[in-house]
Amino acid sequence: MNDHIAAALHDFTQRYCQQWQQRYGHLPASAELYSIPSPCAVENRNEQVLWQPQPFRAKPHLDAVERALDLQLQSAVVSYYTTQYAGDMPATYEQQPITLLQVWSEDDFVRVQENLIGHLVMKRRLKQTPTLFIATTASDSEVISVCNLTGEVICETLGTPRREKLAADLRTFLKLLQPVTEIA
């Protein structure tokens, strides 16, 4: 399963980078990540960093999250967050805009784990099924998550029980994403 997630994520990332190259003649660029150290950073240009995905170098686990909540995580999510370092990547899923969250560096990996712990603590306090976010949406109150019980990818409204199934699993979800490379 983990190899399938890594392959689907690599495939999407490759399509995203190729679209940037075709559209702008250079690697993906990010103003938000400008001057933040990362193995992905290739060049600073016009207050943006040009980046290229790099293999994940830390140990491929989310043990800090699992220990903090005494919870076994979906292997698909572990693979998702430990496959590569990359910038966040805008995309569409069935014409809906999302931003696929990625790990930018080892320091960012620590922050991502802390945020996942906070998210899972909130879910536990609300007595809701545990989920692990993988993307944001245009709405500040909605995120794209993987249900830790079923492995389904869902759109959930934070703080409420509302959730909509988007895909049966993370691999299917990643395969259906379309890259968006327009500069805002």
Side-chain angles (χ1 to χ4, degrees), residues 103-118:
V103 173
W104 181 242
S105 65
E106 287 187 37
D107 288 343
D108 189 39
F109 184 58
V110 172
R111 183 191 59 80
V112 166
Q113 290 184 84
E114 291 168 352
N115 288 341
L116 287 169
I117 291 168

Side-chain angles (χ1 to χ4, degrees), residues 62-83:
L62 294 171
D63 286 355
V65 178
E66 292 181 328
R67 277 193 314 270
L69 291 142
D70 193 27
L71 182 68
Q72 178 73 40
L73 300 181
Q74 283 278 332
S75 62
V77 175
V78 175
S79 181
Y80 174 81
Y81 277 117
T82 62
T83 291

Side-chain angles (χ1 to χ4, degrees), residues 152-170:
E152 295 173 335
V153 177
I154 60 170
C155 179
E156 63 179 327
T157 302
L158 298 172
T160 76
R162 190 193 90 54
R163 60 196 298 165
E164 173 190 353
K165 179 180 170 182
L166 301 178
D169 55 54
L170 184 53

Side-chain angles (χ1 to χ4, degrees), residues 13 16-21 24 26-30 40 42-43 48-53 87-89 104 181:
T13 304
Y16 181 83
C17 292
Q18 285 174 342
Q19 190 169 314
W20 261 92
Q21 193 71 38
Y24 301 107
H26 59 73
L27 294 169
S30 172
C40 302
V42 173
E43 176 185 343
Q48 293 187 321
V49 62
L50 302 186
W51 62 268
Q52 182 170 307
D88 294 346
M89 294 178 280
W104 181 242
T181 56

